[in-house]
Amino acid sequence: MSDTVPDVVPTPESFVVEYPFVNAPAADAILRSADGADFYVHRAILSLVSPIFETMFQLPQPDATPAIPVIDVQEPSRVLDRALRFFYPGAYPRVATLEELQEIIEVLVSKYDIQSVVPVAKQHLEKFSSAQPLAVYTVAFKHRWQDVATIAAKESLKLPLRALNTPAPPELSGVSAIAYHDLLHYHYLCGAAAGRTSSLVWLTPPHAIVTWPNCACHSKNCLYTFSNNNTLRTVPQWFNTYLISMAGDLSITPGVGLREHVHFHVALGEARCGHCSIFMDFLEFVKYQWPAKLAEEMDKIVLKF
């Protein structure tokens, strides 16, 4: 007798159909999934939301058709269940991942032309924009949902998409060349706008930054910079270094928070002073004034496709 243990091929866990798709007296059609699960549905509901199903139910049936006709569909049971729950009365959407949502959108919108689910689909899609902006942008661009695509594009400003020394994000594998070009162009325009804000030409007196006193702690390390009215102003060298460093970073990743950059923490250490308000002024500038200006400038950039 051989001591070899035969390989055990695991069988997939069987899917159990749940309410409201279990056998009910009022159901007048069965959708049979690709793996053999039967979903009892109402033809009136499916016909109301989908012209594809409406046409399908109007086709003449053979004489041998059972009392409740069975319609074989190509979707697996779990995909079909999630798709039906997206719009069916008495059910609620079950979407755990963006991949599941993509499957639902493809089945309902692309295949069965159920346009009534688009607003809900867009709401769910938007929830993934912060964590997976490129994947959301790809889906939104494909379906011409410019509002969601714009939200995802803004979130993608946190990523160095135009940095050639980094590998291409895998989420872009399914995006078209036109969609990718539009996104890169949007990134470029936002980066240029963000970088320009580091010149501080938008700051005017009596703003603290352009009226910093010539404190003894910083006077030996000061330089001049121009304000918006061509008046020379005095700022510490560390502050100028911070602006220059941030200008370069913002041109590549204009969406990253100003306080998330390492340059901020370096400058924060330099800003400590026991004789003037420069430390608090700097915090206020980075926390409120500069982010507000960045948002204002980048809101002027419109993603077009």
Side-chain angles (χ1 to χ4, degrees), residues 66-240:
I68 301 181
V70 177
I71 301 171
D72 293 312
V73 296
Q74 297 177 342
E75 290 72 38
S77 54
R78 285 177 172 78
V79 175
L80 182 60
D81 181 73
R82 286 192 289 264
L84 289 173
R85 288 182 179 278
F86 219 74
F87 68 90
Y88 208 87
Y92 61 92
R94 293 176 176 175
V95 184
T97 66
L98 179 56
E99 289 71 23
E100 291 179 359
L101 181 59
Q102 286 179 274
E103 288 180 330
I104 292 171
I105 293 173
E106 286 303 310
V107 171
L108 297 184
V109 179
S110 299
K111 183 174 182 179
Y112 292 111
D113 194 22
I114 304 180
Q115 297 300 318
S116 60
V117 303
V118 169
V120 178
K122 290 166 70 172
Q123 290 177 2
H124 281 271
L125 186 60
E126 186 178 334
K127 294 177 182 178
F128 293 99
S129 60
S130 179
Q132 298 174 264
L134 297 181
V136 171
Y137 173 80
T138 300
V139 175
F141 189 98
K142 176 180 179 181
H143 293 279
R144 316 305 293 175
W145 297 342
Q146 183 154 0
D147 51 349
V148 180
T150 299
I151 292 171
K154 288 183 177 180
E155 290 291 339
S156 74
L157 294 175
K158 301 173 183 177
L159 306 175
L161 292 186
R162 291 176 290 116
L164 298 180
N165 60 340
T166 59
E171 297 92 338
L172 291 175
S173 59
V175 74
S176 69
I178 294 177
Y180 184 49
H181 173 272
D182 289 347
L183 184 61
L184 288 184
H185 186 238
Y186 175 77
H187 258 252
Y188 168 77
L189 294 177
C190 288
R196 286 193 298 269
T197 64
S198 65
S199 66
L200 301 191
V201 295
W202 50 276
L203 285 180
T204 58
H207 195 283
I209 298 298
V210 294
T211 57
W212 269 345
N214 192 7
C215 177
C217 295
H218 305 284
S219 60
K220 63 181 180 180
N221 199 20
C222 284
L223 55 81
Y224 287 104
T225 185
F226 284 95
S227 73
N228 67 334
N229 59 358
N230 293 326
T231 301
L232 291 173
R233 302 291 178 179
T234 305
V235 294
Q237 177 64 48
W238 61 261
F239 184 71
N240 183 68

Side-chain angles (χ1 to χ4, degrees), residues 15-30:
F15 180 83
V16 178
V17 179
E18 299 177 359
Y19 176 86
F21 308 117
V22 292
N23 191 354
D28 56 4
I30 296 174

